[in-house]
Amino acid sequence: QTPPLISAMRQSFDKKDWTTLYATVHKMIPSFSIVGIHQDFETMAKKIQDFAGKQSEVESIPEMVLQLENICVQACRELEEELIIIKKMK
């Protein structure tokens, strides 16, 4: 479910829809530890969630959204590659 959440995060940010951004990032956070994404990105996601919820420090959000998007896309790509390897081993 991460790819649709990444897209929803980007769209809600682009529209300055802080409520949806908050909810989307909230849904993404549990996935970080499951797939082994570094704790720093979970902390970053929580900051985005906090800023979106309070609608404060919104000028800090763009860079963090971009970083989260990049790390999540990279993690999904790596997981897909590992899945291909596992399937070949069967």
Side-chain angles (χ1 to χ4, degrees):
Q1 75 187 37
T2 301
L5 288 174
I6 295 168
S7 178
M9 177 182 68
R10 170 54 76 180
Q11 289 174 5
S12 60
F13 168 72
D14 289 344
K15 294 177 182 176
K16 308 295 186 242
D17 179 351
W18 306 124
T19 302
T20 303
L21 179 61
Y22 177 96
T24 301
V25 172
H26 180 77
K27 290 177 188 174
M28 293 173 71
I29 291 173
S31 301
F32 297 160
S33 60
I34 293 169
V35 298
I37 294 176
H38 195 277
Q39 176 70 34
D40 290 349
F41 292 101
E42 183 175 334
T43 301
M44 184 182 301
K46 288 178 179 177
K47 283 183 183 178
I48 293 171
Q49 186 180 2
D50 184 49
F51 294 164
K54 294 177 182 175
Q55 296 182 20
S56 65
E57 300 185 51
V58 294
E59 66 280 350
S60 302
I61 294 176
E63 181 62 29
M64 290 189 290
V65 166
L66 180 61
Q67 288 182 24
L68 273 187
E69 181 178 28
N70 289 339
I71 196 67
C72 289
V73 167
Q74 178 184 345
C76 288
R77 192 175 305 127
E78 289 173 9
L79 288 171
E80 288 172 359
E81 290 170 3
E82 287 297 318
L83 182 60
I84 290 169
I85 292 169
I86 291 170
K87 285 181 178 181
K88 287 180 180 179
M89 295 173 70
K90 289 185 177 183

